[in-house]
Amino acid sequence: MQTKPRNLTMMTDLYQLTMMNGYFIDGTYRNEAVFDVFFRANGQLNYAIAAGLEQAVDYIKKLSFGQEDLEYLRSLQIFSPDFIEYLRDFSFTGDIYSVEEGEVVFPGEPIMVVKAPLIEAQLIETTLLNIVSHQTLIATKASRIVMAAGDKAVVEFGLRRAQGPDAGIYGARASIIGGCKGTSNVLAGQMFQIDVKGTHSHSWVMSYPSELEAFEAFARMYPDNCLLLVDTFDTLKSGVPNAIKVFRRLRAAGHKPVGIRLDSGDLAYLSKKARAMLDEAGFSDAIIFASNDIDENLIAQLRLQDAKIDVYGVGTKLITSHDMPSLGGVYKLAEIERDGVRYPRMKFSDTTEKITNPGFKTIYRIYEKGSGKAFADLIALRDEQPLTKPLTLTHAVDRWKQTTFADYDARCLHKQIFARGKCVYECPPLHDSVAFSAKELARFWDEYKRLSNPHIYKVDLSDALYALKLSLLEANK
């Protein structure tokens, strides 16, 4: 039986379609609009790792309404017949600009910019936010965990705790962009060519008459991939000693044991005791793999206690982004065309953080000469040329705060993804995005990446963008 191609066109909020119907009826549906995708400062994230672009591209490419879709929408009896017929030949005809997957991004920065006929730009809001916000959230959580682990590897182990199949599959993908070295998710491994990792569970041990017999059976079947879970009964009294017995037999037969896994108890204490026992038995190269509700905060504490853990398996708290279950991504109108005239648009609010930046924009990253480290990002209008030498950067709010560079390096973060409805960007292999992310993250000073109380990275507005924003604020008084 052939699987029906995945099409997410109908995965949208009803109000997107009711607005589209309204634009169609009042004749404004062809007016060109610019929307920004970004996330707001929330007190928890100083930076994020952008992810999900490849799936967003696939979604845009497949935008179309089938006959079943049209019949369902007609059955709701809230849309005009002419609008339903318009949808029959619907496709995306606009432009999309985006940062690349793995890019380091900050609150308020347009991760993605959509410039398209209003009716098209309106439809894709919900699904773009769903795809980009979710994968960016998980990639960012993974990045924090990997950073806490330092030179120790992290493996994503969260499929069984994910909020549904898609969250498990695409969360695994995002975790790799964030720096994880593998996943337990076999389907994600197959789909994205990710290394898959795993050994056995407690049920394997309990299904045999004794722990030792369970270990021996596993070693017979996987002599060159033998990593044993040692905490089913008593980690130090039986688990590690039985593992050592099996390891000796493997070594005598010419095989090299991989190591042991801890999944409960005081991981710092148990890992140090287990390390000593393994070393004394002559297995100093056997690794200790640890799991059990781990996140970046626990890893930081374990490292402070000199835990002897070589690999961390992180499940629930990674795949669900346990302490921050939503990125807070938004999609806001920044410009609209009426009668051939382009009008900047800005959302006003009593909450400063919710006031948006108007206009058709892009982002430049400014690097210090010599160190090569990122100093600040500059959000600017796309039709201006803000990179002068010398360059003066001005704080986005406190305009009296300025820094001037006589010399610097700069990079535009946006790539054009779609041009007049045609995809003009080739998504790189996943592992290229992983390498790109690691390289760019390393170009930031450590104080910006601290888990607690990080130094706030500078995201400035160009003079022209600030003047435009100020003029709209003054006009709204």
Side-chain angles (χ1 to χ4, degrees):
M1 180 178 175
Q2 191 172 5
T3 304
K4 185 179 179 181
R6 183 179 173 95
N7 187 307
L8 301 178
T9 304
M10 289 283 281
M11 194 183 86
T12 190
D13 292 308
L14 179 63
Y15 81 165
Q16 309 292 13
L17 288 160
T18 57
M19 285 188 285
M20 291 168 66
N21 184 57
Y23 297 143
F24 184 83
I25 290 171
D26 72 13
T28 61
Y29 67 104
R30 291 193 181 95
N31 291 353
E32 194 167 65
V34 174
F35 284 84
D36 295 336
V37 175
F38 61 95
F39 72 99
R40 292 193 178 108
N42 56 22
Q44 290 180 273
L45 286 185
N46 183 41
Y47 73 92
I49 303 296
L53 177 59
E54 184 173 330
Q55 285 65 50
V57 167
D58 183 66
Y59 159 68
I60 297 294
K61 285 181 176 180
K62 294 177 179 176
L63 275 175
S64 63
F65 291 87
Q67 185 61 34
E68 290 183 8
D69 303 329
L70 300 178
E71 291 299 330
Y72 172 73
L73 294 176
R74 187 176 286 112
S75 75
L76 298 179
Q77 298 184 357
I78 55 176
F79 302 111
S80 73
D82 288 344
F83 173 66
I84 297 292
E85 285 307 304
Y86 162 79
L87 294 181
R88 189 178 299 279
D89 297 319
F90 184 92
S91 63
F92 184 77
T93 66
D95 302 338
I96 294 179
Y97 302 82
S98 177
V99 303
E100 297 190 90
E101 291 203 85
E103 186 68 85
V104 182
V105 291
F106 296 90
E109 295 185 331
I111 298 172
M112 188 175 285
V113 175
V114 176
K115 182 182 182 185
L118 180 57
I119 197 167
E120 297 173 22
Q122 194 70 69
L123 173 65
I124 64 178
E125 172 183 358
T126 297
T127 305
L128 279 187
L129 283 176
N130 179 281
I131 293 170
V132 174
S133 294
H134 172 250
Q135 287 201 48
T136 298
L137 177 70
I138 303 304
T140 305
K141 183 66 171 178
S143 175
R144 290 169 59 83
I145 292 170
V146 168
M147 195 172 303
D151 61 349
K152 308 303 181 184
V154 177
V155 177
E156 185 275 313
F157 260 32
L159 178 57
R160 68 185 62 193
R161 302 289 173 78
Q163 286 109 336
D166 275 6
I169 293 167
Y170 294 105
R173 178 186 186 276
S175 76
I176 300 301
I177 293 175
C180 289
K181 298 302 183 184
T183 178
S184 66
N185 187 331
V186 178
L187 180 54
Q190 180 188 35
M191 290 174 64
F192 309 120
Q193 299 301 298
I194 300 170
D195 287 342
V196 289
K197 307 289 185 181
T199 55
H200 65 80
S201 69
H202 297 103
S203 61
W204 173 274
V205 177
M206 292 186 289
S207 68
Y208 284 83
S210 70
E211 183 178 58
L212 181 58
E213 289 172 275
F215 287 177
E216 288 173 333
F218 194 82
R220 283 195 303 272
M221 296 170 193
Y222 306 102
D224 297 310
N225 191 31
C226 187
L227 192 149
L228 300 172
L229 179 61
V230 297
D231 71 329
T232 305
F233 300 113
D234 190 301
T235 300
L236 300 180
K237 290 182 179 179
S238 68
V240 176
N242 282 330
I244 289 172
K245 291 177 185 177
V246 172
F247 290 171
R248 284 174 174 151
R249 294 169 190 171
L250 280 174
R251 187 166 58 185
H255 301 286
K256 181 181 178 181
V258 174
I260 64 171
R261 177 181 160 212
L262 304 172
D263 190 48
S264 61
D266 187 327
L267 296 178
Y269 172 78
L270 291 174
S271 67
K272 286 187 275 191
K273 290 292 185 180
R275 179 78 274 158
M277 294 167 71
L278 289 166
D279 290 352
E280 186 178 355
F283 295 101
S284 58
D285 56 352
I287 69 167
I288 297 179
F289 190 113
S291 49
N292 186 29
D293 282 342
I294 290 173
D295 65 3
E296 66 269 37
N297 299 309
L298 179 56
I299 290 174
Q301 292 301 313
L302 289 170
R303 294 188 70 194
L304 282 175
Q305 296 174 66
D306 196 28
K308 303 303 182 183
I309 296 169
D310 302 293
V311 182
Y312 292 93
V314 187
T316 304
K317 292 185 177 181
L318 167 54
I319 204 66
T320 65
S321 187
H322 185 264
D323 58 347
M324 193 182 74
S326 173
L327 181 70
V330 291
Y331 184 90
K332 293 299 181 184
L333 182 68
E335 187 176 272
I336 188 70
E337 174 261 328
R338 287 182 180 273
D339 300 322
V341 180
R342 313 194 70 82
Y343 296 94
R345 286 290 181 260
M346 184 171 77
K347 181 185 182 299
F348 297 89
S349 175
D350 290 336
T351 304
T352 303
E353 292 78 11
K354 288 195 172 185
I355 299 175
T356 61
N357 293 317
F360 185 28
K361 301 175 292 296
T362 192
I363 318 166
Y364 298 95
R365 182 152 293 157
I366 310 301
Y367 299 93
E368 296 175 311
K369 276 286 190 183
S371 72
K373 294 291 189 179
F375 178 83
D377 286 2
L378 181 66
I379 306 176
L381 296 171
R382 189 167 287 273
D383 60 0
E384 66 171 310
Q385 300 295 328
L387 300 181
T388 59
K389 289 191 177 181
L391 173 68
T392 297
L393 297 177
T394 307
H395 192 279
V397 178
D398 302 325
R399 302 302 283 179
W400 54 273
K401 295 181 180 179
Q402 294 184 332
T403 302
T404 298
F405 288 94
D407 200 7
Y408 59 91
D409 292 317
R411 180 170 65 92
C412 180
L413 303 192
H414 280 167
K415 302 287 185 181
Q416 185 159 16
I417 311 301
F418 284 86
R420 297 183 180 179
K422 180 181 178 181
C423 184
V424 295
Y425 173 83
E426 184 176 350
C427 293
L430 180 62
H431 295 291
D432 286 358
S433 296
V434 173
F436 169 74
S437 187
K439 177 184 174 183
E440 288 306 313
L441 195 57
R443 300 185 76 178
F444 287 84
W445 296 107
D446 289 343
E447 51 262 43
Y448 296 123
K449 300 179 285 188
R450 283 196 299 257
L451 297 179
S452 299
N453 301 314
H455 191 62
I456 302 303
Y457 182 74
K458 302 170 185 66
V459 177
D460 297 334
L461 304 184
S462 70
D463 289 342
L465 176 55
Y466 181 77
L468 175 62
K469 187 172 185 177
L470 191 61
S471 69
L472 294 176
L473 286 168
E474 289 293 330
N476 193 55
K477 287 184 177 179

